[in-house]
Amino acid sequence: MEIILTAVAGPLITTFHSKINLRLVKIMNTSWEQLLDLKDSYVKKVHKIEGFGWIVEVETIGCEAICPRCGQKSRSLHQNHYSFARDLPICGNDLWLRFNRRQFKCSHCKKPFSEELSLVEKKKQYTKRMAERVVRQVVS
């Protein structure tokens, strides 16, 4: 059983393929962007897969990134790299973010580079807040 929710840059517009439960209704009343504290991204789609959890497709706002080598802005998209990152559970279900870490090519130094994301550090498969929670649990 899969529930697919589609977002339009803010409140959710929903398409249901199965029955709704009460927890889902409570989540829908809050914008996913607010729930996930997204600053430079928006929610493109949300999937609820029974027995697995939530998959939230996140897209970056903006069409440029800053080159880490020379500091120049680049709008030249080189490649798209789609990845998954584990986030904090929601309503007792696992939450995975699917995001595109775009790779740009700098017009100044001619080198490719990956954009920086506020949610996920480079080469990590978990969000920053998930890492913070694990550290807090280990320390306490």
Side-chain angles (χ1 to χ4, degrees), residues 16-30:
F16 294 95
H17 297 282
S18 65
K19 293 182 181 178
I20 305 171
N21 64 35
L22 185 57
R23 289 188 295 191
L24 177 61
V25 172
K26 287 180 183 177
I27 291 170
M28 287 173 36
N29 289 336
T30 304

Side-chain angles (χ1 to χ4, degrees), residues 66-79:
I66 297 173
C67 176
R69 290 179 187 87
C70 67
Q72 297 293 316
K73 287 184 181 179
S74 177
R75 297 184 124 201
S76 178
L77 186 62
H78 182 62
Q79 291 180 348

Side-chain angles (χ1 to χ4, degrees), residues 32-77:
W32 278 94
E33 283 88 4
Q34 292 173 330
L35 194 63
L36 297 174
D37 192 28
L38 300 178
K39 293 172 181 56
D40 58 356
S41 303
Y42 69 94
V43 174
K44 192 173 173 182
K45 263 188 185 175
V46 178
H47 305 273
K48 171 68 170 110
I49 301 171
E50 287 298 321
F52 181 75
W54 295 95
I55 297 176
V56 179
E57 294 184 32
V58 178
E59 192 74 33
T60 305
I61 297 171
C63 57
E64 62 188 21
I66 297 173
C67 176
R69 290 179 187 87
C70 67
Q72 297 293 316
K73 287 184 181 179
S74 177
R75 297 184 124 201
S76 178
L77 186 62

